[in-house]
Amino acid sequence: MLARLIDRLFPGRLLTVRERRLWLAAILMAPLALLPGLFADPPAIFGGVKRLDHDRAGLVAIARKHLSQMGVSTEGWSDGLRFTEDIDVERYLLHRDREWAARLRKHAPAVAALITFRQRDGRSAAEVYLDIHGNVTGHSLTLRDSSAADTPSDRPPLEIAQEALASALGADLASFRFPAPEISTLGREGGVVAQRFVWRSVPPGMPELEASFRVDVRGARPLALRGELKLDPQYAAAHRPNRAVETAVGWFFVAYIVLLSIAVLVRYFKRTLQKEISHVRTFGIAAFVGTAFFLYATASDQLRAVSDATGAPLIVFYIIIGLVYLIMGLLIGAAYAASEGELRELYPGKLTSLDSVLSNRPLSRNAAASVILGVVVAAWMVLLYEAIRRATPSPPSIGGGEMLGLFVYSRFPNLVALATLPIGAIMESLTLLLPLAIFQRFFKSRRALLWVVAPLALVASLGFTLAQASQAGAPLATGIMLSAIKTAGLFAAFFWVDLLAAIVTHSVFSLVTFLLPVARITPSGSLDALLQGAIALVGIAVYIVALFRARPVRDEEVRPLYARFLAERLSLESEVAAAREAQLRLLPVKPPEIDGLSISAICKAADEVGGDYYDFFKLGPRRLALVVSDGGRRGLATALSIAVAKGYLMEKAQASSDPIATLCSLRTALGDLADPRGGFCFAIIDAAEGMLRYARTGDTPRVLVEAGASLVEAPSGKDAAVIEGSARLSPSLRLVFYTDGLSSRLARASAGASDRWLQQVFAWHRNASATELGEALVQELFSSIKGPRAARLDDDLTLIVIRAEGAGAHRQEQVA
């Protein structure tokens, strides 16, 4: 049974006995590895608070009751809940006098739940501030209907305001030593003046902090009472811990995302031109991610608060945020689409399971294996995280309001959690995929590529972590540890299994280490945590059944239709690479040593695989045969014709001294393999006699001897398509064999023009050796054209330069 389990999880992979045992142990022990995370305490927020006494309904009920005691009925009013927090103030209070810090948190908390109520017609509204324990710390009323209108009071407004302040502060009023309040007029409504009174005080021993208490009075009613703490901005900025590191990571993260976005768009358009992009899949991913983001945002009351503050209809903000998230989704969809091509090339099979899910086969055996192995990797990540967290205790977070507003006190916390898992998994997976896809072309070694990608993925993950609401006010060390574990888990899941496993790993790790503990912060949240855990367990159970019942799918069954263009291109590139390797192996490594001759050979292909070919055959100490072919660049067909020609001439060249007969028999031997657009030149050089004799077909290859020597060419009497030639070689005479890559490079169609150019270069380098002359020809040839085409050849170029030396002299030149 266990052996069958491993075979189902790793189909087609040859695992060693040790690897099978390690995986089997990891799978069987995974439930135990998850236990520390499942029973971990909720995160300590606001300087150490781990449990809250009220859920959303409880806080809203407390706020309604407070307003009711003030004579304001909110029945039928819509409600909203969000958190306001000032992490700098909370951090400041942690290191000050405890008694005064407690007093300030009681009357002007840096972190507060803001409950808002609004009449359906929008005429009247109310706000109630509560601390995280549910104690009312302030309120604000906007009453515009006639029933709530106030009549003028015989008492001075200042007296009413002082009474309200004294009632709110109680015994702590005397501790603040308020000076005279600042007084301003807010307006007049129904003949009643509304005034604002603000008392400001600097707590003892806290010169950088200002405590202000605002009371708004209209008639006999105190409409608003709110305490606030303001820390000097320069002091706050200068005393933020790890400010330099977080700033550096933040700027790097922004620059990194911008550069990746540009690279993604470039790769996306390139893949589009190659027909290796599915726009349908891109828009599908964009719609999924955009919808998840939209649900994530609209489940909280942040948009409602902005709408209330600006007076604009809520639907306007829904449309704006929907468009923004759609654009973000399009970018993420393009990022995946642009990178998956490289992943299919670099890591075949890593996308098969995800393809099966995206192609409506979510319960295939491939997907089941990836999900189960992803859960296994996540379980050991959880164990590692809990072990480090408990072995090295760090200070608790000093913030957490935004996190609570999203994951605990939103209208649909389970919906937020459901949207969070895929968003986080996809975005952080892209921090691994995009660098792999973008940088792979710059590294020949995968190990070198990983040494570059791993730090980039880690820093990018840290940037995502620091930007998350859950990490507001958390210690930097906690963020670094979390990012390191998530990055390691993503790498392990992707390289050990595949991409779907990496996404599952991140999702399960986030669920166990964050979402489930956070849900248990409130009394009623345990039910949410139980529901989320039950859904996860049911999903795992379904995939365990699918692992043994479902059939596996092949990559070609589920990969998108556009991937066939990628497969065709990869097949073509493999053919080209094989042809290039074959051609390089068929070319001579170096010219032979011939007494009385010095030789230089240069062959440059215009494309990956060239059609030109040359070879040397030593006939004796002072006799040399050589062949030059000008082909048509036909990939493996070219390499095959070269191999046949080489094998034929290795025997024929030794047995024949007639270039014409050898060339004609070679053409017969090649048959259909011979390229009708190309030509051959077969030559025999006798250094002892000082004689060159050759035969050639086609316009090129051509032969040129240095000015002053006589070269005789004429059609052969044996075959009209063959031209035979000969020349007498005097000491120090130089000659060159060249193909039409030279003429096309010079953009001169006539052979005579190319010959004149060659003679001119000969004259410029009159005493140059064969090697020096060959290098001079290439240099002059490539310097003749400027601009972007300077390094590009239109056709293959072959140059063989030979210099006749005195008896007993020979040179061996390097092949380029």
Side-chain angles (χ1 to χ4, degrees), residues 400-702:
E402 186 179 359
M403 177 193 70
L404 291 179
L406 286 171
F407 298 100
V408 178
Y409 289 105
S410 67
R411 296 179 181 276
F412 310 103
N414 287 326
L415 184 61
V416 174
L418 183 65
T420 298
L421 291 178
I423 288 176
I426 292 173
M427 294 187 69
E428 295 219 21
S429 296
L430 288 177
T431 64
L432 165 66
L433 303 184
L434 288 178
L436 279 177
I438 292 172
F439 295 117
Q440 56 89 17
R441 66 181 60 86
F442 302 111
F443 296 90
K444 296 182 179 179
S445 168
R446 289 189 182 181
R447 180 171 297 180
L449 174 62
L450 291 180
W451 276 106
V452 173
V453 169
L456 288 176
L458 176 59
V459 178
S461 178
L462 180 59
F464 275 117
T465 299
L466 295 179
Q468 291 173 358
S470 61
Q471 293 300 308
L476 179 62
T478 302
I480 294 176
M481 177 188 69
L482 190 62
S483 300
I485 293 176
K486 287 193 294 186
T487 303
L490 284 175
F491 271 71
F494 178 78
F495 289 107
W496 289 346
V497 192
D498 56 22
L499 179 56
L500 179 59
I503 294 175
V504 171
T505 293
H506 186 283
S507 299
V508 174
F509 179 77
S510 299
L511 175 67
V512 175
T513 61
F514 174 68
L515 292 178
L516 295 182
V518 165
R520 297 201 304 270
I521 287 180
T522 63
S524 63
S526 297
L527 293 177
D528 292 332
L530 184 62
L531 176 61
Q532 295 171 14
I535 293 174
L537 288 176
V538 170
I540 294 173
V542 169
Y543 276 108
I544 291 176
V545 174
L547 182 67
F548 292 96
R549 295 292 184 88
R551 75 171 187 87
V553 295
R554 299 188 305 274
D555 184 66
E556 55 270 20
E557 291 182 74
V558 294
R559 69 187 180 196
L561 185 63
Y562 67 88
R564 75 173 187 270
F565 295 107
L566 174 63
E568 291 171 0
R569 180 169 63 82
L570 292 178
S571 175
L572 179 61
E573 289 177 354
S574 299
E575 178 183 341
V576 169
R580 179 62 176 163
E581 181 66 21
Q583 186 183 41
L584 291 175
R585 291 182 178 273
L586 291 171
L587 290 175
V589 177
K590 59 184 179 180
E593 297 180 359
I594 301 296
D595 191 19
L597 298 177
S598 63
I599 307 170
S600 173
I602 298 168
C603 184
K604 293 183 178 292
D607 297 323
E608 288 292 328
V609 180
D612 284 6
Y613 162 70
Y614 71 92
D615 207 349
F616 301 101
F617 306 93
K618 189 173 181 179
L619 306 181
R622 304 195 66 186
R623 294 183 72 239
L624 173 70
L626 66 88
V627 62
V628 181
S629 169
D630 187 345
R633 304 197 305 276
R634 295 187 300 165
L636 284 174
T638 299
L640 180 60
S641 65
I642 291 173
V644 173
K646 185 180 183 74
Y648 179 81
L649 290 175
M650 286 179 67
E651 178 182 356
K652 186 68 175 178
Q654 299 288 340
S656 175
S657 60
D658 183 357
I660 298 176
T662 303
L663 184 60
C664 290
S665 60
L666 173 63
R667 294 173 63 204
T668 302
L670 288 175
D672 293 338
L673 289 176
D675 192 336
R677 297 171 296 174
F680 283 94
C681 177
F682 182 78
I684 297 177
I685 303 175
D686 193 325
E689 295 182 2
M691 195 66 188
L692 162 69
R693 291 183 299 121
Y694 65 88
R696 65 180 183 86
T697 61
D699 294 331
T700 60
R702 295 185 61 83

Side-chain angles (χ1 to χ4, degrees), residues 117-322:
F117 300 94
R118 182 174 291 273
Q119 271 186 327
R120 297 299 181 183
D121 58 9
R123 290 179 54 82
S124 298
E127 295 179 345
V128 179
Y129 293 88
L130 296 89
D131 64 14
I132 58 175
H133 301 292
N135 301 311
V136 177
T137 63
H139 65 268
S140 177
L141 304 176
T142 304
L143 304 176
R144 302 199 181 280
D145 57 337
S146 57
S147 62
D150 293 295
T151 58
S153 172
D154 296 334
R155 300 170 59 197
L158 177 58
E159 181 180 332
I160 297 174
Q162 289 174 331
E163 182 179 307
L165 182 64
S167 176
L169 297 182
D172 294 327
L173 177 63
S175 303
F176 283 96
R177 300 179 183 177
F178 290 120
E182 300 173 4
I183 304 175
S184 58
T185 300
L186 299 178
R188 181 185 298 271
E189 185 173 347
V192 181
V193 176
Q195 290 184 297
R196 172 167 293 174
F197 302 88
V198 180
W199 284 267
R200 303 184 188 275
S201 175
V202 176
M206 305 180 191
E208 302 84 8
L209 187 68
E210 178 188 79
S212 64
F213 292 86
R214 170 175 61 89
V215 180
D216 295 346
V217 177
R218 192 179 74 189
R221 184 193 293 268
L223 293 181
L225 193 157
R226 170 73 170 133
E228 291 182 287
L229 300 177
K230 293 184 179 180
L231 188 64
D232 179 71
Q234 295 181 350
Y235 178 89
H239 289 77
R240 289 191 184 113
N242 306 304
R243 182 182 62 166
V245 175
E246 293 187 1
T247 301
V249 171
W251 279 110
F252 172 83
F253 182 68
V254 171
Y256 184 66
I257 293 300
V258 170
L259 292 177
L260 280 183
S261 300
I262 295 173
V264 160
L265 294 177
V266 172
R267 293 298 299 162
Y268 189 85
F269 286 119
K270 181 177 180 180
R271 290 283 180 180
T272 299
L273 294 176
Q274 294 173 332
K275 297 182 179 180
E276 294 174 4
I277 286 288
S278 170
H279 299 296
V280 173
R281 177 168 290 193
T282 300
F283 282 103
I285 294 175
F288 172 77
V289 174
T291 301
F293 267 120
F294 185 78
L295 293 175
Y296 181 84
T298 56
S300 71
D301 292 313
Q302 298 291 337
L303 291 181
R304 187 181 302 274
V306 176
S307 175
D308 292 344
T310 60
L314 185 60
I315 187 64
V316 173
F317 293 97
Y318 280 159
I319 294 174
I320 293 174
I321 204 71

Side-chain angles (χ1 to χ4, degrees), residues 747-768:
R748 298 169 180 172
S750 66
S754 299
D755 288 352
R756 287 192 296 273
W757 182 85
L758 284 169
Q759 293 289 6
Q760 189 178 34
V761 177
F762 280 178
W764 290 341
H765 303 273
R766 191 174 304 279
N767 298 318

